[in-house]
């Protein structure tokens, strides 16, 4: 949700900034802008509505030699996408320029105060207030002005600021929105996340909430925003490969990431399964007092969107195999409820980005109330990962396409491992532990087998791309997969879809069924297969078209269904991992068939860091 970047050093600022914006574009893509600075000259600032390539094109005719700069790709919250609302925003004097990710909650009060003092506003954004507020306190030192200004600011921010009249530094500040600094010889890079830094440096500092950074060409200082005291922070080394953030021959990141799933499962499980003992080895949970984990009486899983559906899959696994009662709560709801938590409740937050505002706020609320907090997070070093007591990283690698696919798959795989980990501390037998792990270890090959259905699914997508509505149905472990399938076709292909529990169909949605309302049934040969089959008969009796996802070898549906996609047999609790893949390919190809940019669906942003 908004990508921010900054550069100071010996190189050309614009080159890094544009490259960084391209890599951060998944965070927002309705408008973009850049501002660069050279001592003794006016700041040069260009903004464009649309994608980064529009901004990049518009910079081609001029020379850009400046060594200091900031840039932004926007996902609108306050004010429509337009040049005047695009960042960087600046003050009345054209001295202070800044980019911001987050929301300034008290901007209306600040704006009216500043307007009364004579400041002239140009945009409808909350961000612009910061430029004027810093201007109010600026004499000749940028960090002093920023420290003074931030004392009056309520809300969330990752800020990168430059000043024409204090030109040898960049000041950054963070509260609740992510920011990382990268260091190389004679250069410092700033970005919303580390994917922008790959190939530039592997030495990074993750900024924490309440911190301000003062960065010059060769040095940096981190200060507390609250009391200006110095905070000692040394760079960490991160591991990331350029191929992680490139399309590697695929037309879309979305397809690349779906096809990466077998490797993702290998990475999520590597070194984490002791097959012969039926034990999961999760270093991130071993740091805890194991008695505390053994005594957990209830788990509340908190997440948003797809991650919450992964949580529901986890709920089935944990209840059935680890014997722990589980509830799944949306982050946006939990944070405003009066949750009943005690020391034997664990709150487990699931998040790809590790920055989702609602999930983070819920986590902090749970911490405040004394619950044990755990995480299943993909982005290493993200705020949620750092705020939990313990957790498990997904190791899915950077997910660039806005719609989550490979991260969702890895979330379910990690849930299976956590189930074995917690289950084996309780009543799960060694035999069951071994059986689950043996099946998990086969998953990469089984997903490869599903991916071989690619051409069949692409043909189906062509056949069905013209329909305006879909109903997705699943039961038990695959009920959340019905929700996920419907969400994916909505967000990637802009087709209305509903995801329902199979048994709920007769309680309402069946009224919609006719020949123009296809139903996607997730119906592997499992304990609820016969129930799903009955639901299919009911749809068939109303002339509904059926696409069925079922187990290889099951041919008995041919009289009822219009089309079938087969998945290999696996343990019932793991079927969601296989059933999801065809739904992802289907949504992707329907979107591509409709000529859409399936990597960057309209109105969405990858990391939802605002409420
Ligand atoms: C859907 C999707 C979103 C995210 C949700 C949570 O494809 O990507 O629904 O799952 O915004 O995001 P994270 O997992 O980053 O907390």
């Amino acid at each position: 949700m908004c990508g921010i970047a900054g550069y100071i050093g010996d190189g050309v600022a614009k080159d890094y900034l544009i490259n960084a914006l391209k890599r951060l574009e998944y965070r927002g893509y309705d408008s973009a802008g850049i501002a660069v600075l050279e001592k003794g000259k006016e700041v040069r600032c260009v903004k464009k509505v649309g994608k980064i390539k529009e901004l990049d094109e518009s910079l081609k005719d001029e020379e850009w030699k400046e060594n200091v700069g900031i840039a932004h790709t926007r996902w609108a919250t306050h004010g429509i996408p337009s040049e005047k609302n695009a960042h960087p925003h600046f003050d009345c004097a054209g001295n202070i320029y800044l980019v911001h990710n987050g929301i300034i909650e008290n901007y209306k009060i600040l704006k009216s105060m500043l307007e009364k003092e004579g400041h002239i506003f140009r945009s409808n954004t909350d961000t612009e207030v910061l430029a004027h507020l810093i201007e109010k306190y600026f004499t000749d030192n940028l960090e002093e002005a920023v420290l003074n200004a931030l004392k009056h600011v309520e809300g969330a921010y990752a800020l990168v600021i430059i000043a024409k009249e204090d030109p040898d530094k960049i000041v950054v500040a963070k509260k609740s929105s992510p920011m990382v600094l990268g260091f190389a010889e004679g250069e410092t890079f700033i970005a919303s996340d580390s994917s922008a830094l790959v190939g530039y440096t592997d030495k990074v500092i993750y900024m924490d909430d309440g911190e301000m950074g003062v960065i010059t060409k060769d040095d940096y200082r981190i200060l507390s925003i609250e009391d200006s005291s110095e905070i000692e922070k040394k760079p960490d080394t991160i591991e990331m490969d350029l191929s992680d953030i490139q399309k590697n021959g695929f037309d879309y990141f979305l397809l690349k990431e779906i096809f990466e799933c077998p490797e993702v499962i290998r990475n999520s499980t590597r070194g984490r399964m002791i097959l012969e003992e039926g034990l999961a080895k999760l270093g991130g949970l071993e740091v805890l007092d194991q008695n505390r984990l053994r005594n957990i009486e209830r788990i509340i899983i908190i997440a948003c969107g797809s991650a919450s559906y992964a949580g529901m899959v986890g709920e089935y696994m944990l209840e059935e195999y680890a014997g722990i009662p589980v509830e799944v709560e949306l982050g946006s709801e939990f944070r405003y409820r009066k949750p009943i938590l005690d020391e034997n409740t664990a709150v487990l937050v699931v998040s790809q980005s590790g920055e989702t505002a609602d999930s983070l706020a819920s986590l902090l609320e749970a911490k405040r109330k004394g619950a044990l907090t755990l995480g299943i997070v993909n982005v290493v070093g993200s705020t949620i990962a750092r705020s939990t007591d313990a957790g498990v990283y997904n190791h899915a690698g950077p997910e660039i396409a806005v719609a989550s696919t490979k991260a969702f798959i890895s979330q379910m795989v990690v849930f299976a491992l956590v189930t074995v980990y917690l289950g084996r501390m309780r009543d799960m037998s060694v035999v069951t532990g071994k059986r689950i792990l043996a099946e998990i270890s086969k998953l990469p090959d089984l997903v490869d087998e599903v991916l071989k259905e690619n051409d069949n699914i692409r043909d189906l997508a062509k056949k069905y791309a013209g329909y305006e509505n879909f109903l997705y149905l699943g039961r038990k472990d695959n009920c959340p997969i019905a929700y996920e399938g419907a969400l994916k076709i909505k967000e990637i292909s802009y087709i209305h879809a509903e995801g329902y529990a199979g048994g709920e169909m007769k309680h309402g949605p069946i009224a919609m069924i006719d020949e123009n309302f296809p139903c996607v049934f997730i119906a592997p040969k499992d304990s609820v297969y016969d129930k799903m089959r009955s639901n299919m008969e009911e749809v068939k009796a109303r002339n509904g078209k059926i696409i069925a996802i079922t187990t290889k070898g099951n041919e008995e549906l041919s009289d009822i269904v219009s089309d079938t996609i087969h998945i290999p047999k696996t343990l019932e609790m793991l079927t969601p991992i296989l059933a999801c893949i065809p739904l992802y390919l289907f949504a992707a190809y329907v979107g591509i068939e409709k000529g859409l940019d399936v990597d960057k669906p309209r109105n969405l942003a990858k990391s939802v860091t605002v409420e």
Side-chain angles (χ1 to χ4, degrees):
M1 189 145 287
C2 294
I4 56 170
Y7 176 89
I8 182 163
D10 296 326
V12 174
K14 175 239 166 196
D15 292 349
Y16 164 72
L17 293 174
I18 292 296
N19 215 0
L21 288 191
K22 285 181 180 162
R23 292 183 188 175
L24 296 172
E25 194 169 19
Y26 69 88
R27 300 180 67 89
Y29 32 87
D30 59 43
S31 51
I34 180 170
V36 290
L37 172 62
E38 190 179 334
K39 205 172 192 158
K41 297 208 175 148
E42 292 301 314
V43 174
R44 286 205 289 167
C45 180
V46 180
K47 312 186 202 187
K48 284 279 166 247
V49 174
K51 301 207 166 141
I52 311 299
K53 68 174 189 300
E54 324 282 339
L55 177 69
D56 193 16
E57 278 303 311
S58 74
L59 303 179
K60 292 254 152 77
D61 296 337
E62 287 180 48
E63 219 186 335
W64 298 83
K65 290 186 309 215
E66 293 86 343
N67 309 121
V68 181
I70 59 178
H72 188 268
T73 177
R74 180 167 186 249
W75 187 87
T77 56
H78 294 69
I80 55 161
S82 66
E83 277 186 25
K84 80 174 180 184
N85 288 335
H87 301 216
H89 288 285
F90 46 99
D91 61 353
C92 297
N95 173 34
I96 313 283
Y97 282 71
L98 57 84
V99 291
H100 167 224
N101 174 25
I103 286 188
I104 305 306
E105 280 159 12
N106 61 338
Y107 85 100
K108 283 197 174 137
I109 300 170
L110 293 171
K111 186 171 176 177
S112 81
M113 174 193 86
L114 289 160
E115 277 175 335
K116 279 188 200 129
E117 291 175 10
H119 290 263
I120 309 290
F121 282 75
R122 305 174 187 87
S123 75
N124 310 114
T125 64
D126 55 329
T127 299
E128 192 185 350
V129 80
L130 296 169
H132 295 280
L133 196 60
I134 297 169
E135 177 176 39
K136 174 180 159 86
Y137 291 105
F138 188 86
T139 47
D140 58 357
N141 180 305
L142 182 58
E143 66 263 33
E144 271 174 29
V146 173
L147 278 172
N148 281 323
L150 290 181
K151 294 199 170 31
H152 304 276
V153 172
E154 286 164 23
Y157 49 78
L159 278 171
V160 191
I161 314 155
I162 52 173
K164 186 181 72 170
E165 290 167 25
D166 193 5
D168 297 322
K169 64 178 69 138
I170 290 186
V171 172
V172 300
K174 171 181 162 25
K175 186 180 162 205
S176 302
S177 295
M179 183 189 287
V180 57
L181 313 180
F183 301 93
E185 191 68 37
E187 294 182 296
T188 301
F189 310 90
I190 300 153
S192 297
D193 70 55
S194 50
S195 65
L197 306 180
V198 179
Y200 291 98
T201 180
D202 59 357
K203 302 274 173 300
V204 304
I205 283 182
Y206 293 101
M207 295 287 289
D208 281 308
D209 279 354
E211 290 179 349
M212 183 175 96
V214 183
I215 302 151
T216 56
K217 194 162 72 71
D218 311 300
D219 203 8
Y220 67 89
R221 282 185 305 136
I222 310 285
L223 307 173
S224 153
I225 294 172
E226 199 181 341
D227 60 13
S228 322
S229 59
E230 293 252 356
I231 299 168
E232 188 155 344
K233 273 191 129 166
K234 294 262 174 298
D236 291 327
T237 304
I238 50 164
E239 276 175 41
M240 222 195 277
D241 201 308
L242 215 48
S243 66
D244 287 339
I245 53 163
Q246 290 172 337
K247 287 188 193 151
N248 289 353
F250 285 90
D251 289 337
Y252 296 95
F253 281 111
L254 183 68
L255 287 175
K256 177 194 166 217
E257 287 164 6
I258 298 169
F259 275 86
E260 270 172 6
C261 285
E263 195 51 28
V264 163
I265 298 171
R266 278 184 203 104
N267 292 339
S268 298
T269 53
R270 185 166 294 122
R272 290 173 160 178
M273 298 192 288
I274 309 174
L275 292 168
E276 58 286 359
E277 293 175 42
L279 288 171
K281 185 166 172 37
L282 298 172
L285 296 184
E286 281 168 10
V287 297
L288 288 172
D289 170 1
Q290 299 300 286
N291 270 333
R292 184 143 192 220
L293 280 181
R294 196 170 290 112
N295 292 334
I296 291 174
E297 286 169 2
R298 186 170 68 123
I299 297 178
I300 302 180
I301 296 172
I302 294 175
C304 299
S306 289
S308 73
Y309 303 149
M312 290 179 195
V313 173
E315 179 182 18
Y316 282 100
M317 292 179 180
L318 284 161
E319 289 195 337
E320 189 161 343
Y321 284 96
I324 306 173
V326 178
E327 293 153 43
V328 182
E329 294 265 4
L330 294 171
S332 51
E333 289 298 314
F334 181 89
R335 64 185 293 185
Y336 294 115
R337 287 181 53 173
K338 188 173 167 242
I340 296 162
L341 303 170
D342 59 32
E343 57 182 8
N344 292 331
T345 301
V347 164
L348 167 52
V349 180
V350 188
S351 176
Q352 188 287 128
S353 63
E355 303 293 347
T356 301
D358 287 323
S359 303
L360 177 60
S362 299
L363 164 65
L364 298 178
E365 188 59 24
K367 266 181 103 118
R368 224 168 275 130
K369 295 193 158 52
L372 173 69
T373 57
L374 308 172
I376 295 180
V377 176
N378 190 36
V379 176
V380 176
S382 56
T383 311
I384 292 176
R386 284 180 292 141
S387 309
T388 46
D389 295 316
V392 187
Y393 279 120
N394 297 46
H395 297 316
E399 191 177 61
I400 308 289
V402 166
S404 187
T405 55
K406 65 172 185 172
F408 183 81
I409 296 289
S410 69
Q411 285 160 352
M412 294 189 284
V413 170
V414 170
F415 264 117
L417 295 176
V418 171
T419 300
V420 174
Y421 188 94
L422 296 179
R424 291 282 283 116
M425 288 181 159
R426 294 174 169 72
D427 293 339
M428 184 188 288
S429 68
V430 62
V431 177
T432 306
K434 279 164 94 165
R435 187 158 53 99
I436 296 173
L437 294 181
E439 288 297 320
I440 294 175
S441 66
K442 289 184 203 154
L443 283 175
D445 290 341
L446 299 184
V447 172
D448 258 331
E449 229 178 294
V450 183
L451 288 168
K452 293 200 179 104
E453 294 271 328
N454 181 56
D455 293 349
N456 172 23
I457 296 168
R458 191 170 27 209
D459 290 345
L460 282 185
K462 286 197 176 111
K463 177 171 165 187
Y464 285 95
Y467 286 88
E468 287 173 4
N469 299 288
F470 281 90
L471 181 63
Y472 284 69
L473 295 169
R475 274 181 192 243
K476 201 168 168 263
D477 306 75
N478 283 297
C479 172
I481 301 307
Y483 301 156
E484 171 69 355
L487 177 66
K488 283 288 128 59
I489 199 141
K490 271 192 275 220
E491 60 182 342
I492 299 173
S493 314
Y494 313 154
I495 293 177
H496 167 249
E498 305 264 359
Y500 261 93
E504 279 291 291
M505 188 181 71
K506 58 190 166 301
H507 297 290
I510 198 164
M512 304 293 296
I513 300 301
D514 64 15
E515 67 279 13
N516 297 316
F517 208 125
C519 292
V520 180
F521 275 81
I522 301 124
K525 276 279 212 171
D526 60 11
S527 61
V528 287
Y529 171 77
D530 291 337
K531 309 280 172 204
M532 290 298 284
R533 199 181 183 291
S534 307
N535 292 145
M536 287 187 216
E537 298 280 8
E538 287 156 13
V539 169
K540 169 87 172 162
R542 285 153 186 89
N543 287 328
K545 292 191 173 56
I546 296 172
I547 306 171
I549 295 176
T550 192
T551 309
K552 208 163 244 173
N554 178 21
E555 303 301 337
E556 61 149 9
L557 294 175
S558 51
D559 293 346
I560 317 175
V561 304
S562 311
D563 293 285
T564 313
I565 303 168
H566 285 110
I567 58 171
K569 191 165 175 42
T570 183
L571 212 58
E572 183 159 328
M573 73 177 242
L574 302 176
T575 51
I577 296 166
L578 301 182
C580 231
I581 304 286
L583 301 183
Y584 285 163
L585 288 172
F586 185 68
Y589 286 126
V590 170
I592 293 167
E593 185 65 21
K594 290 178 73 179
L596 302 173
D597 179 351
V598 295
D599 282 342
K600 300 188 197 83
R602 69 183 177 207
N603 305 339
L604 296 179
K606 182 80 187 154
S607 165
V608 186
T609 53
V610 294
E611 219 185 313

